[in-house]
Amino acid sequence: MTAKLVVQGLSHHYPDEYTGVSVHALDDINLEVNDGEFVAIVGPSGCGKTTLLNILAGLLRYREGNATVDGKKIDGPGPDRGVVFQEHAILPWRTVAGNIGHGLELQKIPRQERQDRVAEYIELVGLVGFEDRYPHELSGGMKQRCAVARTLCADPEIMLMDEPFAAVDAQTRITLQEELIRIAIATKKTILFITHAVDEAAFLGDRCFVFSRRPGRLRETVHINIPRAERNWGDIAANPEFVRARDRILALVREEVIADDR
Amino acid sequence: MTDRLNRFLAFWRHFPGAKVINLALVIAGLLTAWALISGSIDNPDRYLPSPLAVAASSVDMLYKGLLPSYFGDTISRLLLGSLIGLGLGIPFGLLLGLNRTVSDIFFPIMNFFQSVSGIAIFPIVVIWWGNSDKTVLAVILYTSFFPVAFNVLSGVREVPLRYIHAAYTLGASKFQVIRDVLAPGALPHIATGSRLSIGFAWRAVIAGEMLAGREGLGWMIFTGQDADMTSQVILGMLMIGLTWIVLDHYLLRPLEADTIERWGLVQR
């Protein structure tokens, strides 16, 4: 297996917005994500996981360490790294189809090819019949489906997801998680998924990086050896591998949270 | 009795022509009051000519071709000045909004200039360029530039950062971010700012023509006062108000409402 994303010795400090005091957000992060792999990152809030994602997305500049995709140093945002944001970041003045095709439009892909690919991804995320709707006419779950389709349609090398399902209701979240597994199987994309929900990380990830509290360090990598085809909420709760991985992640996260409370 | 009255009022509320008839009644009332006051004072031709006298003077000025010519002068000045003002102000506001640090610096400066009204800068422009068309046009341009630029700038600052970030991660260039994110995101502010700008420019045209002009509605009012032709003064005032209502009601407001209400940017 080849490494798609490589992060070496990455540290990050930033001045606090109000006090100006330097905050140590990330400390000496070393990690690799393989081609086609689904990796979840879990950690207590404030552990720098969103900072890491913003650096990988190219939205935040870094000075210490190195981060590469396919051997190319990350320097600013680019269509090779698609991002699905925490809150709804699809454009309210574009229809579902207009949002999903936006990346192709920016890359100046001809109309016909664009329409074909948009239709393909609308089908993939189950938004057929909603092509001409505006975001304010969609439910929270549909908006995030649209956001995922928009990112995938631009055909990135790696999809970075920042707690994308945190704002939807529990029932919808379960459906979206199962759909994301299906999409990962269908597209074979490399996915880096940030979450604070332990269950979500164990359900989705082939591996899970557990981060320590601030300054964020990679504490442990938990492997979850469950074929993607077996990942559905009906069966997985009884799977001993899932239970083991989830309990291990939970124990690690709790240690961090308890240590933080002292 | 009250039942019949209530039923009539309910009918009247839903009668399509009711609004127009109500408005006509109010206008008729105002005209009557005006005529009564005019009829009860000494020397009304000097202090408050009757509506009929104003109508007669408008017929007279129409006949001489002065009214259409003055009106055309004023409107073309307004359009020329405010269109250039908007054409420069909108892109300027968008460009400033592209960079947070730059927009933070310019925000108070733009706020300063948009509050110094056209009439307040008139004297200095007259010192520079004298009583000329150039002076009037410059003031109109100034007056329409800053309100729209300031509004667009504040609109751009309100576009959520995640929209901008999302566009960049999809591979957008700076120009594409302006075109696809900042401009549509600030569109309600662009519409409101344009309407404000044209409103201010309309005031500036009249003031400019009074202070430095040789023709136009402002000039017509000014010379009316000089020549002791009060009916001409009142006619000028009426023209200014009526033109604005037509412009605002049929052009600017629909434009604003359209852009704001589409896309659910404002939830109804």
Side-chain angles (χ1 to χ4, degrees), chain A residues 174-223:
Chain A
I174 286 174
T175 317
L176 290 174
Q177 288 161 352
E178 290 183 339
E179 281 182 19
L180 187 58
I181 288 293
R182 190 174 50 73
I183 288 167
I185 294 171
T187 61
K188 302 187 179 72
K189 282 285 177 223
T190 310
I191 301 173
L192 188 66
F193 189 104
I194 282 174
T195 179
H196 62 265
V198 172
D199 275 24
E200 189 169 63
F203 178 79
L204 292 171
D206 302 323
R207 282 191 296 157
C208 176
F209 298 150
V210 183
F211 271 44
S212 71
R213 67 192 184 285
R214 184 180 294 158
R217 291 193 188 95
L218 175 51
R219 245 205 93 180
E220 192 171 312
T221 303
V222 177
H223 292 259

Side-chain angles (χ1 to χ4, degrees), chain B residues 81-124:
Chain B
S82 61
L83 287 183
I84 297 174
L86 296 183
L88 295 172
I90 293 170
F92 189 71
L94 288 173
L95 269 175
L96 282 189
L98 199 58
N99 183 304
R100 207 41 184 235
T101 317
V102 175
S103 81
D104 280 347
I105 295 168
F106 271 85
F107 193 79
I109 295 171
M110 303 296 285
N111 202 0
F112 172 85
F113 279 111
Q114 71 118 17
S115 79
V116 181
S117 67
I119 192 87
I121 71 147
F122 236 106
I124 188 111

Side-chain angles (χ1 to χ4, degrees), chain B residues 6-24:
Chain B
N6 283 337
R7 253 188 288 166
F8 172 75
L9 288 176
F11 160 77
W12 192 242
R13 266 199 300 277
H14 296 101
F15 178 63
K19 257 189 177 167
V20 180
I21 296 173
N22 283 340
L23 181 63

